[in-house]
Amino acid sequence: MKNKHLAAVAAVTGAICSLVAPAQQPQQGEKPPMTFFVTSVGPGKGGDLGGLEGADAHCQKLAAAAGAGDRTWRAYLSASPSDGKPAVHARDRIGKGPWHNAKGELIARNVEDLHGDVERNRNNIHKFTALDEKGNVIQGRGDTPNRHDILTGSTSHGRAFEGAEDMTCRNWTSSDSTGGAMVGHHDRMGGGNTSWNSVHRSRGCGQEDLRSTGGDGLFYCFAVD
């Protein structure tokens, strides 16, 4: 009798779970939430983003205005060692993935695919998927103005550069014409390679310096949760 009673309880429990489980899953055809975007605008001070904290706050502000402020957002930016602090690598700041754009299109499943650690070109970043937080396409090569230079300060594998040359506009606190920052191209065009995150160094850190090579002080934002 005891075994029959346990079997009956298990059957009822299983039936309840089968009814509840579908309600906990996303509805068929439901669009994944936005967890990646290119900033529609920068802070307007060239490479001075207020440091990593200021850049993160800018991501959070734009995401909130687009209805995605319930997530924690981080700027895809590296920083050099400074004042006794170690280097910060962009790839370590952005969570584990997966990431989707404002239209629900998959950008990358994980950090490794995003950076091509195992196999190159595993991500889905190009002009028509690297959208801003409103779902708009960012102008690229051939458009006026060209805004495809995206600030990263990173190597192609998402790490800070070694050496003394400034690749981060003094860790995102400078808008001087001296110095510079590594940029990628969201449209994967121009600059001698097709990297989304590491193509060339800017000519300076002022807003007009960034614009002179096809930029506007924009950067990538990723949700970490």
Side-chain angles (χ1 to χ4, degrees):
M1 288 293 294
K2 184 177 180 180
N3 289 338
K4 290 183 178 180
H5 177 70
L6 291 175
V9 171
V12 171
T13 302
I16 293 174
C17 290
S18 67
L19 291 174
V20 172
Q24 297 174 335
Q25 301 297 320
Q27 296 296 316
Q28 186 175 5
E30 183 178 355
K31 183 178 72 173
M34 178 179 70
T35 48
F36 161 88
F37 63 87
V38 179
T39 59
S40 57
V41 294
K45 299 178 181 179
D48 182 0
L49 309 178
L52 292 177
E53 290 185 0
D56 291 343
H58 190 66
C59 286
Q60 199 74 43
K61 177 182 177 180
L62 294 180
D70 56 338
R71 297 181 178 277
T72 301
W73 291 87
R74 293 287 180 267
Y76 182 90
L77 298 169
S78 293
S80 302
S82 178
D83 299 327
K85 297 179 181 179
V88 177
H89 306 299
R91 65 182 290 142
D92 297 337
R93 312 189 72 242
I94 58 174
K96 297 180 179 180
W99 299 282
H100 296 83
N101 66 14
K103 292 185 177 180
E105 297 169 311
L106 180 67
I107 293 301
R109 297 189 183 281
N110 51 51
V111 172
E112 293 75 21
D113 282 358
L114 181 65
H115 295 93
D117 290 351
V118 177
E119 182 181 348
R120 303 304 291 174
N121 296 322
R122 294 276 292 186
N123 70 47
N124 186 34
I125 294 178
H126 55 79
K127 180 178 179 179
F128 299 105
T129 58
L131 307 175
D132 70 16
E133 73 279 1
K134 304 171 188 177
N136 297 323
V137 173
I138 302 290
Q139 297 102 312
R141 189 177 186 186
D143 297 327
T144 303
N146 179 10
R147 304 168 79 211
H148 74 171
D149 282 2
I150 310 298
L151 298 170
T152 69
S154 304
T155 68
S156 63
H157 286 284
R159 296 186 173 91
F161 285 90
E162 298 179 357
E165 188 175 21
D166 184 14
M167 294 291 193
T168 62
C169 288
R170 298 178 190 170
N171 287 340
W172 314 112
T173 62
S174 174
S175 59
D176 295 339
S177 291
T178 58
M182 179 57 66
V183 303
H185 289 168
H186 82 293
D187 59 0
R188 315 292 285 267
M189 297 180 67
N193 69 53
T194 59
S195 177
W196 64 280
N197 64 344
S198 194
V199 178
H200 63 82
R201 187 173 178 267
S202 68
R203 291 176 180 168
C205 293
Q207 190 74 8
E208 291 307 315
D209 297 319
L210 300 180
R211 286 173 176 161
S212 70
T213 57
D216 202 19
L218 311 183
F219 47 95
Y220 298 110
C221 298
F222 290 78
V224 302
D225 55 10

